[in-house]
Each structure stands twice: as C-alpha cells, then as structure tokens.
Amino acid sequence: HGCFISLTGGLAGTAGLFRSTFDLKPDIKIKKARLYMAAIGFFEPYINGNKIGDAYLDAAFADIRFKNYYRTFDVTECLTGGKNCFGAEVAQGWYKHPSLLAELAVEYDNGEVDYIYSKNHGSWKIARSPVISSSIYDGEVYDAREEKEGWSRPDYKMKFEGLVYEWMTPNFIADPDKTLLSQQIEEIKITDEIKPVKIKSIGGGRYVADFGRNFAGVMRLSGINAKAGDEIKLRFAEILYDDGRINQENLRTALARDIYIAKGTGDECYNARFTYHGFRYCQIEGLRSKPSAEQITGLVLRNAVELRSSFTSNNKRLNDILKLVKDTELNNMHSF
C-alpha cells in the first residue's frame, strides 16, 4: 500500500525522524499486528514511544539497484485501541538521502483489517534527527541539543521553531528499481561488551582507551559531564604511534570518528547507532577530565549467529590460530 518517503531538501545530509499518528478501533480486540519496514539507509522503528527490537544497522546491506530487504515485526502487544503513533529514525547507512517504506497491518478479532502505511500526506511528518550526519567510513555526529523528547508518542506536541514548523511533510520518491525481499539474515546486535584494559593520557586533554584486542563495533561513553555545545570526539584505530597517539594511516581517507555534542544536562551517555568501526584503540578528545574504566564500554556488533561447533587440542599454537580465525570471521560478519 505504501510508498517510499524521504527527507525534504532542508534536511539533506542528516538522519530523519518519521512520524505518523493513527486511530485503531477502540471497541474491538486486536488479534494480530505486523509491521513491515524497508529503507534506503538504516532504520530504528518505534511505536508509542517504545523502540521495536534491539537490532543495529537494520536492514541488512543490499545493492539497491537490484534488491532491498524488508523486516517484519510482531507489534501486537505494542498497540492499543484509540490513538497510536508510529515512528522511525532513518540514517544514511551506505547510501545518501535516507528514505522509508512502512506498512502496519492490524487484524481484529472480527476479521477486519486496518492498514497504516507510509505516504507523503495526511499525518505523516518528518523532522531533523539528532544524528546530523552518519557514514560507515566516517562515523556519526550526534547533537544531543536536537533531541525531541517523546517524539514517537501519540501525545507529543509538534511546535514551531521561529517561523518554521519543525515537522514537515515528507517527499514522495519513485520506488527504487529493485525487488523487495524478506530479510532472512540474522540481525546485527550487541553480542559482547568489553571493558578497556588500559586508559592512558597522551596530553592535551586526550586519552587513549585500549581494549586489548581488535573488534568491530562502537564505544559507549557514559557519565559525560559537559557544557551545552561541548564536542566530545571518539577516534578509532587498530594501531598506535610510538608516542601513544592512535595511527589511522591504514584507514586512508576514512575519518573513523564519532562526535557527540553535549546538551549540558550532566551525566549524559552516548554510543553511535548508525555506524560501526574496526578498532582496538579509541582516542577520546574534549572531556574535561580523564574518564574511568566504568565510563567506557566497547560494544561488539555483528550478525547474531550461533556458534555451531568447537575445537580444542593440546597444541597452544593451533588453538591460538583457530581463535584468530574465528574472531576475524566474526568481526567481519555484517549482513552475511
């Protein structure tokens, strides 16, 4: 039923918040509700203020000239009779110009079905996301001052910013020339959390966290006490220079950094959601004091596949080689 909708020109280059309110029959029990979503870019769905699922970097990568994947979510327990709200945050991912295709099918006990789907009119609105830029190679920039608390709840009050309405009507775009396929690949999730083995000051208010091994994922920094507008930069690398600074020469032109712009409320927490990095070291810049190990966590991101077999021997070198091979495969398992 739906069409792809995208950000308007004034929001080009940013991630977007997509939102629509809708009414369901208040006097008939909901039997089953399914949400179907596809995007050009990565998306996170919400219903009535609650995020659906715990996946990262959804949906799986595909060459959109030929195909694109859609996800299906059981949202029966998320809905209620009367007013509801659907929301989605969509970022660039591997492509520019984030766009969304969504359909919610709600079946009632009496057999009736309501469809709510993406379109460029009616209650569908878009706004700027706090993710003001995102890229697989360059990382994410997040401005916490742009957060819109409760934006995916039905009681959220949209407002004006000066003479400009902060929520606008999305653009319609012609469906990309591709086939939509149901995603059968396991979701990308946080499969492990790693604490740093060492945090070293390298001068100039810069600190390097060493996680002891390479992995693919992002870093969570909590307990951020900063003034509104302060920029905390997280730069990622697999090796160091002799003076302890991170060495990103092997990354060529990739910036491989995440930037958090504080809102100044104290005790803030951040980790990127629409990118990932391969790293052992994270160089932290912009904090007012040295972070503790409790504030820093490495989040391992990969397809949540299960290990189906194991092997061990009395030869330590053979065991070490096997571990290296396994870790390398898992670190590169994104949309496989």
Side-chain angles (χ1 to χ4, degrees):
H1 293 84
C3 66
F4 273 93
I5 54 177
S6 68
L7 306 182
T8 59
L11 302 180
T14 71
L17 304 177
F18 294 72
R19 155 189 172 88
S20 178
T21 56
F22 55 94
D23 290 307
L24 297 178
K25 295 177 175 61
D27 52 350
I28 306 176
K29 184 179 178 182
I30 296 171
K31 178 181 178 181
K32 180 173 66 176
R34 297 289 184 269
L35 172 64
Y36 307 92
M37 286 186 63
I40 299 176
F42 297 134
F43 62 75
E44 289 187 351
Y46 295 80
I47 288 184
N48 294 333
N50 299 309
K51 184 176 180 294
I52 306 301
D54 57 357
Y56 276 67
L57 310 176
D58 236 356
F61 170 78
D63 186 337
I64 60 170
R65 294 174 301 173
F66 307 108
K67 64 181 179 181
N68 199 356
Y69 292 112
Y70 69 89
R71 293 292 318 280
T72 305
F73 304 92
D74 182 343
V75 294
T76 309
E77 301 302 320
C78 304
L79 300 169
T80 184
K83 187 172 287 295
N84 292 264
C85 181
F86 165 80
E89 189 168 8
V90 186
Q92 288 185 149
W94 293 94
Y95 303 99
K96 294 182 179 180
H97 311 302
S99 64
L100 172 71
L101 174 64
E103 178 173 296
L104 179 63
V106 181
E107 181 182 346
Y108 299 95
D109 264 359
N110 65 357
E112 294 183 56
V113 180
D114 277 339
Y115 293 98
I116 297 92
Y117 47 88
S118 53
K119 52 189 177 182
N120 63 331
H121 58 84
S123 69
W124 284 87
K125 300 294 180 183
I126 58 167
R128 184 188 307 276
S129 162
V131 179
I132 59 178
S133 72
S134 65
S135 163
I136 291 296
Y137 296 110
D138 292 339
E140 181 179 289
V141 180
Y142 186 95
D143 190 344
R145 299 170 300 178
E146 293 279 347
E147 291 177 349
K148 298 170 177 61
E149 185 177 357
W151 66 273
S152 62
R153 293 201 302 256
D155 59 352
Y156 176 76
K157 303 296 183 185
M158 294 184 286
K159 61 179 182 289
F160 285 91
E161 292 180 345
L163 298 176
V164 180
Y165 205 43
E166 68 171 350
W167 289 84
M168 295 166 281
T169 301
N171 285 334
F172 161 79
I173 63 171
D175 289 356
D177 185 16
K178 61 176 184 343
T179 299
L180 280 173
L181 301 174
S182 176
Q183 179 176 314
Q184 304 299 312
I185 301 168
E186 289 91 341
E187 299 168 308
I188 295 174
K189 294 185 177 183
I190 298 172
T191 59
D192 197 7
E193 298 190 1
I194 305 174
K195 302 302 290 185
V197 297
K198 184 190 305 182
I199 304 171
K200 182 179 179 180
S201 173
I202 58 171
R206 299 170 299 172
Y207 308 94
V208 173
D210 178 1
F211 290 93
R213 67 176 178 89
N214 280 358
F215 66 96
V218 294
M219 196 189 87
R220 178 189 294 143
L221 182 63
S222 60
I224 301 172
N225 289 297
K227 291 183 179 179
D230 280 2
E231 291 190 8
I232 293 89
K233 182 179 289 187
L234 311 176
R235 301 176 60 213
F236 302 92
E238 298 178 338
I239 52 178
L240 299 176
Y241 289 113
D242 291 340
D243 63 3
R245 293 178 297 124
I246 59 166
N247 182 343
Q248 294 184 320
E249 291 181 19
N250 63 311
L251 303 180
R252 294 178 287 186
T253 59
L255 297 178
R257 80 335 177 212
D258 297 329
I259 297 175
Y260 179 76
I261 303 173
K263 56 186 172 183
T265 57
D267 198 25
E268 299 173 45
C269 181
Y270 169 71
N271 65 263
R273 291 176 291 120
F274 296 110
T275 189
Y276 71 98
H277 310 279
F279 66 102
R280 170 177 171 173
Y281 305 98
C282 179
Q283 185 168 302
I284 307 166
E285 304 170 4
L287 290 178
R288 297 175 180 268
S289 59
K290 182 179 180 179
S292 67
E294 287 71 30
Q295 291 178 261
I296 297 173
T297 307
L299 306 178
V300 178
L301 294 175
R302 63 169 173 83
N303 289 111
V305 297
E306 296 180 15
L307 295 175
R308 297 295 189 182
S309 63
S310 62
F311 172 87
T312 188
S313 74
N314 61 0
N315 186 310
K316 181 179 183 301
R317 177 172 294 182
L318 191 60
N319 294 339
D320 289 346
I321 291 173
L322 178 64
K323 184 178 186 304
L324 285 172
V325 171
K326 184 180 75 172
D327 288 349
T328 301
E329 291 291 333
L330 292 176
N331 284 343
N332 287 279
M333 192 169 286
H334 300 84
S335 298
F336 275 83

